Amino acid sequence: MAVPAGRSAFARPALLAALVAVAVGVFVLLGWASGSDALTAFLPGALPMKPNAALLLVLLATALALHAVGHRPRLVDALALVVLAVAFATALEYATGVDLGIDRLLSSDVSRSGVPYPGRMALGAVIGFGVGAFGLLSLGRTWRGWHLSGSLALIDAIIGGLGVLGYAYGANE
């Protein structure tokens, strides 16, 4: 199949993956809004996706979809910067122990009261969102002839794969 001029061979798979991710994020947000545990966790008994993680997933996947269809880079970069800022602030919360209240912007999750930060997304998710946002920001840019975005996509895939393995083996927080 021939690739249209100026478009990457990965544009169609990226768009499909982005649309699936947007749908997952929207379902999780609807689950939190409606109080439906079935929509916030992918497997029975699994940890729910936090609402702030679902929102970042929607924003980052939307940025990827816009890039895949050839939308203007400014909007893609703006969405990626928002995700990067929230991921950085959450990582700062983990690193310093200071509570910036990011976890409670969309919902106050107190369902897991034995956990030190019940509403905070997992550190792996924070790193994954940060790497993904930085990868989107680096698309089309090179550093000493090296395409950083491809390496960041591989790192993000590994982080996501570890999360899936954690769910498959019933790992706890």
Side-chain angles (χ1 to χ4, degrees):
M1 176 199 275
V3 177
R7 301 262 332 257
S8 167
F10 298 109
R12 184 171 285 150
L15 178 60
L16 180 61
L19 293 176
V20 169
V22 167
V24 168
V26 167
F27 278 117
V28 171
L29 288 171
L30 288 173
W32 280 101
S34 67
S36 171
D37 292 340
L39 292 177
T40 61
F42 300 108
L43 300 171
L47 295 172
M49 180 185 281
K50 303 301 180 190
N52 49 350
L55 179 61
L56 292 186
L57 181 62
V58 168
L59 294 176
L60 197 59
T62 300
L64 178 60
L66 290 172
H67 177 77
V69 298
H71 203 277
R72 295 184 332 199
R74 285 186 185 188
L75 181 56
V76 172
D77 287 353
L79 290 171
L81 282 170
V82 169
V83 172
L84 188 61
V86 174
F88 180 77
T90 305
L92 191 64
E93 285 183 321
Y94 270 114
T96 64
V98 173
D99 184 8
L100 300 175
I102 297 168
D103 318 332
R104 294 177 303 280
L105 289 176
L106 297 176
S107 171
S108 58
D109 176 23
V110 293
S111 60
R112 303 194 50 93
S113 56
V115 179
Y117 312 107
R120 190 172 298 168
M121 69 179 115
L123 185 57
V126 172
I127 294 168
F129 284 124
V131 169
F134 192 59
L136 268 177
L137 290 169
S138 68
L139 277 170
R141 296 174 177 91
T142 58
W143 179 69
R144 297 183 181 185
W146 181 48
H147 291 275
L148 183 61
S149 59
S151 299
L152 292 171
L154 177 62
I155 292 169
D156 232 4
I158 291 169
I159 292 169
L162 290 173
V164 170
L165 282 176
Y167 273 110
Y169 286 100
N172 59 18
E173 297 171 43

